[in-house]
Amino acid sequence: MTGLAIRVRLPRPDFLLDCDLHLPASGITAVFGPSGSGKTTLLRCVAGLERPAQARVVLQGETWEDSERGLRLPTHRRPLGYVFQEASLFDHLDVAGNLRFAHRRAGRDAAPLQPLLELLGIAGLQGRRPGELSGGERQRVAIARALATGPRVLLLDEPLAALDLARRREILPWLERLRDELRIPMLYVTHAGDEVARMADHLVLLDAGRVRASGPLAETLARIDLPAVPGEEAGALLHGAIGQRDARWQLAEVRFEGGALWIADPGFASGHPVRVHVLARDVSLALVPPQQSSIQNVLPAIVRAIAPGGHPSQALVQLACGPTLLLSRVTTRSVEALELAPGRSVWAQVKSAALVA
């Protein structure tokens, strides 16, 4: 068995955590949902910090817990790294001391420290105490300390929640670097949709202890059979690469499977991989190619499905641009007037698209 398999059933005072998941062997799996949905409890079960009534946790074929067989490895015997909201570093030790402490505890399983210092950009901080670091620096050191133990899975419980916007922007590129360079699965708990869109490869949606959805990020975001997560707007995520440029108007083309979009030029080189978030509210539909319109991103598409849009006046339309999925929010009156139905050819007019990575 490859990847991470988790089956837990754990009664809580306000909900029953009941999850059955099979997650990828690498990359970031975002565990997303409203406060109190069971995200942190799920991570604690994987770490062995909770004792579920029923549990089975298997990583890459190695069983950590199986309640039916009476098998349960204690936390200290599970090769994992855990990063909390607060960095929780030892104040009496400098950065180097904090890392050496984790390194010694790991023994033969410890990871080389120098590559971690370079990977997280903290080589120049080794002589500083935690009180001399910014919030973003402390969290990078906490991540390095978790990785110093040579874990086979990294658990991150809202690692940016305690940081202000500037510190969040500072640390996000380092987390992306971990995603791209580490070859271990990472479970990333968050309730911030922008972090999901920017970093995740796989998405688990939790609500009141139940898994509402689990799958590849772009595919899961484009589903229309899921109720909206409070505070988040329906939208699709496109994986593409920078194409040609229009220097006069400071625009860059993003090519993806099924089409291309023009966005504000982010300054990346041609071929640079990017993610583009397109909200359903920013996609309108037409039956013929629009003429003399201010909207310059127009894509041929096929209607895949139509669902209620959260209000009787609204509908959510799932579109296929080749293999890529888009969402469009329109009125139910427009659905009837345009005779929209699965299989109908339309033109999707993308009014706005946001680069997220």
Side-chain angles (χ1 to χ4, degrees):
M1 179 185 296
T2 61
L4 177 62
I6 307 167
R7 176 71 180 98
V8 295
R9 184 178 176 84
L10 176 64
R12 306 300 288 175
D14 48 351
F15 64 84
L16 171 67
L17 179 66
D18 192 355
C19 299
D20 191 355
L21 294 164
H22 293 270
L23 305 177
S26 62
I28 293 179
T29 292
V31 184
F32 183 65
S35 297
S37 59
K39 303 184 299 295
T40 294
T41 302
L42 176 62
L43 250 64
R44 289 176 58 83
C45 288
V46 174
L49 298 172
E50 298 277 357
R51 188 182 286 271
Q54 300 174 23
R56 179 172 166 79
V57 180
V58 181
L59 176 66
Q60 302 284 45
E62 179 183 319
T63 302
W64 291 0
E65 187 163 0
D66 188 337
S67 55
E68 291 186 1
R69 294 166 50 196
L71 171 64
R72 186 173 192 274
L73 292 182
T75 299
H76 71 271
R77 290 185 56 197
R78 302 187 187 198
L80 59 86
Y82 206 128
V83 180
F84 300 90
Q85 289 186 24
E86 298 290 344
S88 302
L89 301 175
F90 296 120
D91 290 333
H92 66 288
L93 298 177
D94 58 16
V95 169
N98 271 275
L99 296 179
R100 284 196 300 270
F101 177 84
H103 205 251
R104 286 195 299 268
R105 285 182 61 88
R108 289 181 302 174
D109 296 326
L113 288 179
Q114 190 59 37
L116 293 178
L117 297 174
E118 296 171 0
L119 181 63
L120 287 159
I122 57 174
L125 306 178
Q126 295 184 73
R128 297 189 193 178
R129 295 288 180 91
E132 300 173 309
L133 304 175
S134 70
E137 290 170 340
R138 282 196 300 272
Q139 202 61 301
R140 278 189 277 152
V141 173
I143 293 170
R145 188 175 64 177
L147 293 174
T149 62
R152 294 175 56 197
V153 62
L154 183 63
L155 310 178
L156 301 106
D157 189 3
E158 300 199 59
L160 307 186
L163 305 179
D164 59 27
L165 181 58
R167 300 290 81 75
R168 288 179 65 210
R169 288 175 174 169
E170 169 195 326
I171 200 171
L172 276 169
W174 300 104
L175 290 174
E176 290 174 317
R177 191 171 179 185
L178 291 181
R179 175 198 66 199
D180 296 338
E181 298 192 19
L182 291 183
R183 294 294 180 263
I184 62 172
M186 301 164 61
L187 269 63
Y188 187 99
V189 162
T190 182
H191 62 266
D194 60 331
E195 294 175 23
V196 173
R198 178 163 176 172
M199 293 190 300
D201 304 293
H202 192 92
L203 177 61
V204 173
L205 293 178
L206 275 187
D207 188 18
R210 300 298 179 103
V211 177
R212 288 172 25 192
S214 176
L217 178 64
E219 176 183 310
T220 306
L221 286 179
R223 286 176 55 176
I224 61 173
D225 60 330
L226 299 173
V229 176
E232 300 301 323
E233 295 191 52
L237 190 72
L238 311 183
H239 293 268
I242 298 294
Q244 62 180 314
R245 284 184 163 77
D246 187 327
R248 179 182 178 186
W249 303 112
Q250 296 293 299
L251 297 173
E253 180 190 47
V254 174
R255 297 174 182 169
F256 61 92
E257 283 193 272
L261 296 172
W262 287 95
I263 64 170
D265 190 346
F268 296 140
S270 295
H272 185 87
V274 293
R275 298 181 180 199
V276 176
H277 199 197
V278 180
L279 296 178
R281 70 182 186 192
D282 291 328
V283 179
S284 61
L285 303 178
L287 297 183
V288 296
Q291 301 293 324
Q292 297 180 323
S293 170
S294 65
I295 301 175
Q296 298 185 31
N297 287 319
V298 181
L299 303 167
I302 303 294
V303 175
R304 282 270 302 264
I306 303 174
H311 185 275
S313 68
Q314 301 289 307
L316 199 59
V317 182
Q318 187 187 62
L319 307 164
C321 297
T324 299
L325 298 178
L326 282 178
L327 296 179
S328 173
R329 188 180 299 280
V330 298
T331 64
T332 51
R333 181 165 65 181
S334 294
V335 171
E336 181 174 323
L338 298 177
E339 298 181 346
L340 299 179
R344 184 74 191 257
S345 296
V346 296
W347 293 87
Q349 304 175 94
V350 181
K351 292 176 281 186
S352 178
L355 189 73
V356 294

